[in-house]
PDB file of all heavy atoms in Angstrom:
ATOM      1  N   ALA I 207       4.952   1.353  -9.592  1.00 97.00           N
ATOM      2  CA  ALA I 207       4.280   1.281  -8.294  1.00 97.00           C
ATOM      3  C   ALA I 207       5.150   1.844  -7.176  1.00 97.00           C
ATOM      4  O   ALA I 207       5.485   1.167  -6.210  1.00 97.00           O
ATOM      5  CB  ALA I 207       3.899  -0.167  -7.999  1.00 97.00           C
ATOM      6  N   PHE I 208       5.493   3.126  -7.265  1.00 96.00           N
ATOM      7  CA  PHE I 208       6.438   3.728  -6.323  1.00 96.00           C
ATOM      8  C   PHE I 208       5.960   3.714  -4.872  1.00 96.00           C
ATOM      9  O   PHE I 208       6.765   3.627  -3.958  1.00 96.00           O
ATOM     10  CB  PHE I 208       6.802   5.153  -6.750  1.00 96.00           C
ATOM     11  CG  PHE I 208       5.644   6.115  -6.758  1.00 96.00           C
ATOM     12  CD1 PHE I 208       5.258   6.774  -5.605  1.00 96.00           C
ATOM     13  CD2 PHE I 208       4.937   6.342  -7.932  1.00 96.00           C
ATOM     14  CE1 PHE I 208       4.188   7.654  -5.614  1.00 96.00           C
ATOM     15  CE2 PHE I 208       3.865   7.225  -7.946  1.00 96.00           C
ATOM     16  CZ  PHE I 208       3.485   7.882  -6.787  1.00 96.00           C
ATOM     17  N   ALA I 209       4.660   3.796  -4.626  1.00 96.00           N
ATOM     18  CA  ALA I 209       4.179   3.811  -3.233  1.00 96.00           C
ATOM     19  C   ALA I 209       4.500   2.503  -2.528  1.00 96.00           C
ATOM     20  O   ALA I 209       4.772   2.490  -1.325  1.00 96.00           O
ATOM     21  CB  ALA I 209       2.679   4.086  -3.181  1.00 96.00           C
ATOM     22  N   ALA I 210       4.509   1.399  -3.268  1.00 96.00           N
ATOM     23  CA  ALA I 210       4.835   0.096  -2.682  1.00 96.00           C
ATOM     24  C   ALA I 210       6.321  -0.211  -2.789  1.00 96.00           C
ATOM     25  O   ALA I 210       6.977  -0.513  -1.792  1.00 96.00           O
ATOM     26  CB  ALA I 210       4.027  -1.007  -3.362  1.00 96.00           C
ATOM     27  N   SER I 211       6.860  -0.140  -4.012  1.00 94.00           N
ATOM     28  CA  SER I 211       8.224  -0.612  -4.229  1.00 94.00           C
ATOM     29  C   SER I 211       9.304   0.369  -3.783  1.00 94.00           C
ATOM     30  O   SER I 211      10.447  -0.025  -3.627  1.00 94.00           O
ATOM     31  CB  SER I 211       8.432  -1.003  -5.692  1.00 94.00           C
ATOM     32  OG  SER I 211       8.176   0.084  -6.541  1.00 94.00           O
ATOM     33  N   ALA I 212       8.963   1.618  -3.554  1.00 94.00           N
ATOM     34  CA  ALA I 212       9.961   2.584  -3.079  1.00 94.00           C
ATOM     35  C   ALA I 212       9.600   3.118  -1.696  1.00 94.00           C
ATOM     36  O   ALA I 212      10.366   2.979  -0.743  1.00 94.00           O
ATOM     37  CB  ALA I 212      10.102   3.735  -4.068  1.00 94.00           C
ATOM     38  N   VAL I 213       8.423   3.729  -1.557  1.00 94.00           N
ATOM     39  CA  VAL I 213       8.070   4.404  -0.304  1.00 94.00           C
ATOM     40  C   VAL I 213       7.850   3.415   0.842  1.00 94.00           C
ATOM     41  O   VAL I 213       8.462   3.544   1.911  1.00 94.00           O
ATOM     42  CB  VAL I 213       6.826   5.312  -0.502  1.00 94.00           C
ATOM     43  CG1 VAL I 213       6.456   5.994   0.804  1.00 94.00           C
ATOM     44  CG2 VAL I 213       7.091   6.341  -1.594  1.00 94.00           C
ATOM     45  N   ALA I 214       6.964   2.436   0.653  1.00 94.00           N
ATOM     46  CA  ALA I 214       6.705   1.456   1.726  1.00 94.00           C
ATOM     47  C   ALA I 214       7.969   0.654   2.012  1.00 94.00           C
ATOM     48  O   ALA I 214       8.294   0.397   3.170  1.00 94.00           O
ATOM     49  CB  ALA I 214       5.546   0.547   1.349  1.00 94.00           C
ATOM     50  N   ASP I 215       8.688   0.271   0.960  1.00 92.00           N
ATOM     51  CA  ASP I 215       9.916  -0.492   1.133  1.00 92.00           C
ATOM     52  C   ASP I 215      10.939   0.305   1.958  1.00 92.00           C
ATOM     53  O   ASP I 215      11.519  -0.216   2.901  1.00 92.00           O
ATOM     54  CB  ASP I 215      10.502  -0.865  -0.233  1.00 92.00           C
ATOM     55  CG  ASP I 215      11.807  -1.611  -0.104  1.00 92.00           C
ATOM     56  OD1 ASP I 215      11.782  -2.789   0.304  1.00 92.00           O
ATOM     57  OD2 ASP I 215      12.865  -1.004  -0.388  1.00 92.00           O
ATOM     58  N   HIS I 216      11.144   1.555   1.610  1.00 91.00           N
ATOM     59  CA  HIS I 216      12.103   2.397   2.343  1.00 91.00           C
ATOM     60  C   HIS I 216      11.681   2.564   3.814  1.00 91.00           C
ATOM     61  O   HIS I 216      12.507   2.444   4.714  1.00 91.00           O
ATOM     62  CB  HIS I 216      12.216   3.775   1.675  1.00 91.00           C
ATOM     63  CG  HIS I 216      13.065   4.724   2.435  1.00 91.00           C
ATOM     64  ND1 HIS I 216      14.441   4.654   2.452  1.00 91.00           N
ATOM     65  CD2 HIS I 216      12.737   5.772   3.231  1.00 91.00           C
ATOM     66  CE1 HIS I 216      14.913   5.606   3.230  1.00 91.00           C
ATOM     67  NE2 HIS I 216      13.917   6.302   3.705  1.00 91.00           N
ATOM     68  N   THR I 217      10.418   2.823   4.037  1.00 90.00           N
ATOM     69  CA  THR I 217       9.913   2.998   5.392  1.00 90.00           C
ATOM     70  C   THR I 217      10.106   1.719   6.213  1.00 90.00           C
ATOM     71  O   THR I 217      10.505   1.762   7.369  1.00 90.00           O
ATOM     72  CB  THR I 217       8.423   3.402   5.373  1.00 90.00           C
ATOM     73  OG1 THR I 217       8.283   4.568   4.575  1.00 90.00           O
ATOM     74  CG2 THR I 217       7.898   3.648   6.766  1.00 90.00           C
ATOM     75  N   LEU I 218       9.841   0.601   5.587  1.00 87.00           N
ATOM     76  CA  LEU I 218       9.980  -0.702   6.249  1.00 87.00           C
ATOM     77  C   LEU I 218      11.424  -0.973   6.614  1.00 87.00           C
ATOM     78  O   LEU I 218      11.722  -1.440   7.716  1.00 87.00           O
ATOM     79  CB  LEU I 218       9.455  -1.774   5.298  1.00 87.00           C
ATOM     80  CG  LEU I 218       9.225  -3.167   5.801  1.00 87.00           C
ATOM     81  CD1 LEU I 218       8.182  -3.159   6.909  1.00 87.00           C
ATOM     82  CD2 LEU I 218       8.765  -4.049   4.663  1.00 87.00           C
TER      83      LEU I 218
END
Side-chain angles (χ1 to χ4, degrees):
F208 63 85
S211 59
V213 179
D215 178 72
H216 174 76
T217 304
L218 192 61

